Structures are given as C-alpha cells and as structure tokens.
Amino acid sequence: MTDPVRTRFAPSPTGSLHVGGARTALYCRLIAHKHGGKLVLRIEDTDRARSTEEATRGIQRDLKWLGLHWDEGPGHEEVGDHGPYFQSKRLEIYDRHVQQLLDTGRAYEAWETREELDGLRKQVEAHKDTFRYHRRAYTAEELDRFHEEGRSPVVRMAAPGTGYVVRDLILGEVTVPAADLDDIVIRKADGFPTYHFAVVIDDYLMEISLVLRGQEHLMNTAKHLILYEAFGWEPPAFAHLPLIFNPGGSKMSKRDKAKVARAAAHEERERRGRQGLPNAQWSWLAETANLSQEEVVSFMNKEHNRSSVGNAVARVLGVELPMIEVMDFRRRGFLPEALLNYLTLLGWSAGDDREVMTRAEVQEAFTLDRVNTAAARFDLEKLRWMNGEYMRRLPIERLQEVLALYLEVVNSPMETTDAVRRRMLLEMYRQRSPTLSEMDRAARFLFERPQTWDPKAYQKHLLRADGVDRLRQARDRLAKVTPWTAEAIEATLEPFREELGVGMGKVAQPLRVAVSGTSVSPPIYDTLAFLEQDEVLARIDNCLEFLAQVSAR
Ligand code: GLU
C-alpha cells in the first residue's frame, strides 16, 4: 500500500446502519486518515427491490451521529472527481464496461430463467453436489423462442478456470480453488449490475487503494480478482475484518431483533385468544403499531426482518429488542464517543492495556496489523461501563449536545426542559447513570408528582422517629428560601439540622421521600433546586396529607 490510502465505506441501503458496518466505516476512516488519504462513502443501491431512500438517509444520519464523517460522497460531491456516489446513478458506466467484456468475449449473455436455474440446482444438489453454472450454447430456435417469450438475458463473466490467491493484509494469503469460482452474473435481467460487478468498477474508477470490509466478503474478493484481471487493472489492497458475534456465539444480525419481536407478537396473539379478543391474521397488530397489514404479515411469515416493522411491533407490545443497529444504541442512551471507542476495540487492540482512548489517541495508535483475525464478541456490559466513563468525562457542553440528539429519537419529559435545566439534570446524574436512558428513567419523578409513596420508605423515614414533624418544620423553612438555589437551600437546611442535633440523613430522607415517593434520589439540595420551590412545597403538602390519612386508618 502506498500513501495516500483511499478507502471506502459502501453500504447497501436496505436497512439502517448495523454496528458491524459502523466499525467498518470507522476502521476505513482511521486507516485513510493515518495515511493522508480520504474515506469515500458510496451508496450501493443496485438492489432495486430492497434499497430505500429512508435507509440511505438513515445510514448517513447514523454515521454523522457517530462522528464518522466521510471526505467524499453524498453531500461532498465537489470534493473528489469520482461521483456520482450512488450506484443507481452510474448505470451508463457499468453498461459501458459490460459491453467491453462482451466485446472481448470475457462475458456472455445467459438466458435461463430463475425457475430453470432452480431446477438445475435441485438436480445437482440431489446428487449432493454443489451447483455450478456452466456456459452453454443456444440454438437459433431457442434464441427466437426466448425473444418471443420476452425474456431478457443476464450477462455472466466467464471464469478462467483457475484458482485465485487473495492477499489479505489481515488474514494473509487465502487460496480460493477454481471449483469455487463459477461464471458469476455481472448484469441482471433488469439491466442493473450485480454487486460484484459494480463494486469492482467503482473501486477502480474511484481510485480506492484499500478495500476494507467484513470477512463475509472474503470469497467474493476472489471473484472480483477475475474482473480486475479481465480489465487488466491492478487490484487494490484487501483486508477483511473479523465477524461480530453475540455473547451467545451466534452472528450478530438484524434477525436477532426480528426473532424477539415475532415471539412477542405470537405471545400477545395467544393472550388475546384466551381473552376472546379478535386475533385472527395480524390486523390488530398492524393497527396498533400503525403499520400496513401486508408489512406485518410478511414480517411474521419471516419474508423479511425489517427493523422498522420489528421496532414498531416491539414498541406497542412493550418489549425490548436486542441492540444491533446504531440507532438502537442511540435510543437506549449510549453516547457516540463511547460506542465508537467500544467499536474500536471490537477486533483491534492498542497492544497495551489502554481501553478508554480519545479519538486522537486511537488515530495515532491504529494499524491494521493489530486487527484480530478471530471473530469478536460483543460485550454489552463492557460497553455500558465504557459509556459510564464517558458520561463522567465528557465536557458538560458535549453531553448537552448528545442529550439533545437522544431526545430527538425517544419520548421523554426532558424534551420540554430548557438548556439550563437539562444541564442541571446531567450534572446530577452523570456520576450515577451509565446511560442517558437510565438517567431518563431515574429522573422521571422530577417531572411527575408522586401519586403514591413507598410504604417501606415512609414508615422508616416519616412515620417512625418524628419524621413527620421534621418534615413540617423543614417545609416552613424552605418556604422562606430565596432565591431558590441549591446553595441557598443548603444554607437553610444545614443550620436546621444543627439545631436539631441530628445527622443530615434525618432531614434529607423525610424530604426525599416526600418529593420523590422513594428513598433514592440525587443529592437532596440539587433535587429540591431542580423541582422549584412551589412544586417542592406542593409535594410536601400532598405527602403530609397522605400520611395523615394513613395514620387515621
Ligand atoms: N454493499 C456491500 C455491503 O453492504 C459492500 C461490501 C463491500 O464493502 O464491498 O455488504
């Protein structure tokens, strides 16, 4: 590899960004920037049935959220002279190159329909063999018939019948025998190129010098070498990243989410059945989840694993799905810095015991020779720990930004609070909550008055040991505090405690139970300050009234 190194991240927009894809984009960016080059974003939208605009937007949104900005690609067309960066806009380029291979006899038209190919495949597999497509000649009559039937041919690349050696910068040399390489389709019957073809043409024309992608593409690389050879092009360097597994050992995929959502839907259907509610088909689910019946039926029939459907089903049924896509982590309150740091270590290590590393440190230390060859296991607990580290370490201004991005994608009472109050919340919780969503949950009481009080808590801190009396006196003092700040509250309650000759807990706990309904909350002065004076007094009054009723019973 010679400098500068140009890499590309080339997602297919068939769903939102998977954490594995995010890791690929991250490593591509690190390597390119380390070697004075650029990261290109290319949208591989040649699968017309499965590519969507929404996914295209979503992938870009998720990359930006992570801070993985690309140097060339959508939105940066002016930077390089290698666009367009959407494969669907490059059809003319592919056609020209297909024609070149047809003209030189390296590629040919093949007329079999999908059904015919399936038939051939079944025959071969019945003999426990692997199906290979063999080129055959068509008679003039056959060709006439195909035209009459309105068939369109695909174009196939003639494999030269030799094996290929993939020189991988991570895995070393990998030999792929000729038997594994048949005549791949390069242009589909709909006129669109296949992935294999478009990827080679684009990597070459976009002057990509290092192709870095997941190990699931290793065998494909051999097929791509055939194409480079046919065009007489020098192939780029290749490196394949280890797969990412769930803690359980299975491949971490969107299917995991779909599975949990389906199980919950089946369970709910049974429950409805037992209650005599209508449960036929999935129309009840489609309706509550605000989806089309067709979408839900095909999802439940396992025809696809679309996360938009799985997520909506999970939301209405109140189940949590495994986190697989970047957006799942954002919704569950993870910080981009922490996820990125975690992904850096998922398949790579600095060679010492450093774990929490700044972007600059990672950029400095990153090299391909420290990328693992074996699959990586995703360890959610470790990510949570790391997130907690970033909650504590990030500048408060940055946390405020990330909180705003979190609030864009969840429903939370924090949405309507202003910047000053959001900052107070972050200061209160950054030490105690490892994720923003845990903070969100823990802070709910600040937005909703307690409707009921925890019996254990009020027995212990209020009904016993004169707690009610102390609460009443504290209320009177708090009513006079002005201005209502944590410092002023402390300056009032501290002398009060001293007068009583008790520890702070004897004053703080009754107050805490009164305003929160439970015996846990952030430091009492901050909690009271956040709630504001009228609200605190009202909550204390409600609690006192409630306790009077309890005592009267
Ligand atoms: N569009 C392919 C994918 O999403 C890209 C593979 C590659 O990097 O070549 O899997």
Side-chain angles (χ1 to χ4, degrees), residues 268-281 284:
E268 176 67 9
R269 180 159 80 167
E270 266 167 42
R271 198 189 62 81
R272 290 176 68 96
R274 283 195 302 274
Q275 292 193 346
L277 293 165
N279 71 346
Q281 297 306 323
W284 54 274

Side-chain angles (χ1 to χ4, degrees), residues 7 24 28 43 122 126 129 157 170 203 236 249 253 308 342 375 446:
T7 59
T24 302
C28 283
I43 305 294
K122 280 203 190 103
D129 269 339
M157 178 72 199
I170 297 169
D203 284 341
S253 82
S308 54
Y342 181 73
L446 295 168

Side-chain angles (χ1 to χ4, degrees), residues 218-521:
L218 182 62
M219 287 299 131
N220 293 338
T221 300
K223 298 175 184 167
H224 302 168
L225 289 176
I226 299 177
L227 286 161
Y228 281 101
E229 196 177 70
F231 284 110
W233 295 339
E234 175 82 20
F238 292 99
H240 294 87
L241 300 172
L243 300 178
I244 302 177
F245 284 174
N246 290 311
S250 55
K251 191 173 162 215
M252 194 171 174
S253 82
K254 290 178 193 174
R255 213 168 314 133
D256 305 338
K257 289 175 70 174
K259 234 177 168 175
V260 177
R262 279 188 202 112
H266 282 295
E267 206 173 290
E268 176 67 9
R269 180 159 80 167
E270 266 167 42
R271 198 189 62 81
R272 290 176 68 96
R274 283 195 302 274
Q275 292 193 346
L277 293 165
N279 71 346
Q281 297 306 323
W282 296 103
S283 50
W284 54 274
L285 184 55
E287 220 163 277
T288 38
N290 211 356
L291 294 163
S292 79
Q293 173 143 5
E294 191 221 319
E295 262 176 315
V296 177
V297 170
S298 54
F299 177 78
M300 292 307 296
N301 288 342
K302 303 187 188 169
E303 283 162 34
H304 62 82
N305 295 317
R306 230 169 281 145
S307 288
S308 54
V309 179
N311 288 343
V313 167
R315 205 170 315 129
V316 297
L317 299 181
V319 287
E320 277 201 354
L321 300 183
M323 288 180 272
I324 306 287
E325 289 150 304
V326 169
M327 183 51 100
D328 301 333
F329 292 89
R330 176 167 166 189
R331 285 210 183 95
R332 296 265 272 276
F334 287 88
L335 310 174
E337 281 83 351
L339 184 55
L340 215 51
N341 192 156
Y342 181 73
L343 291 178
T344 306
L345 301 179
L346 197 59
W348 174 86
S349 70
D352 44 38
D353 49 15
R354 276 183 297 169
E355 292 201 307
V356 179
M357 294 172 79
T358 64
R359 290 190 74 156
E361 286 166 342
V362 171
Q363 184 66 70
E364 170 70 32
F366 195 84
T367 54
L368 277 188
D369 54 15
R370 302 210 62 87
V371 173
N372 302 336
T373 52
R377 260 171 216 258
F378 201 97
D379 180 349
L380 198 51
E381 269 319 300
K382 177 146 182 198
L383 170 61
R384 219 170 137 256
W385 164 80
M386 192 166 272
N387 208 70
E389 289 295 310
Y390 278 92
M391 287 286 283
R392 287 184 281 275
R393 293 182 192 201
L394 283 182
I396 193 77
E397 292 74 23
R398 173 62 187 151
L399 273 185
Q400 280 181 280
E401 277 171 29
V402 181
L403 177 60
L405 295 171
Y406 164 80
L407 293 173
E408 274 177 20
V409 297
V410 296
N411 289 320
S412 162
M414 279 192 262
E415 267 166 77
T416 51
T417 51
D418 61 26
V420 177
R421 286 165 64 76
R422 284 188 191 175
R423 190 178 174 127
M424 285 166 88
L425 281 170
L426 286 165
E427 296 284 19
M428 271 195 266
Y429 281 98
R430 64 191 300 183
Q431 300 289 340
R432 26 198 317 133
S433 299
T435 63
L436 293 174
S437 54
E438 282 162 88
M439 153 176 159
D440 191 1
R441 230 171 300 132
R444 285 288 151 113
F445 84 91
L446 295 168
F447 300 91
E448 292 152 18
R449 284 188 185 176
Q451 299 300 312
T452 173
W453 285 261
D454 171 16
K456 257 204 203 131
Y458 71 69
Q459 290 288 353
K460 175 164 177 205
H461 300 295
L462 285 158
L463 293 187
R464 265 180 247 140
D466 301 333
V468 176
D469 206 38
R470 250 178 284 121
L471 179 61
R472 250 194 222 107
Q473 292 182 50
R475 185 211 183 279
D476 292 342
R477 307 241 174 164
L478 288 173
K480 296 191 194 100
V481 173
T482 174
W484 187 254
T485 61
E487 296 71 32
I489 295 168
E490 180 172 4
T492 301
L493 291 183
E494 185 48 35
F496 171 57
R497 173 196 76 76
E498 240 168 69
E499 274 169 45
L500 295 177
V502 296
M504 194 58 213
K506 287 269 186 283
V507 174
Q509 283 307 79
L511 280 167
R512 179 169 279 127
V513 174
V515 301
S516 77
T518 71
S519 52
V520 274
S521 86

Side-chain angles (χ1 to χ4, degrees), residues 8 10-12 44 195 199 212-213 217:
R8 86 305 193 271
S12 306
E44 303 209 320
Y195 156 68
V199 81
L212 190 62
R213 59 185 164 205
H217 288 292

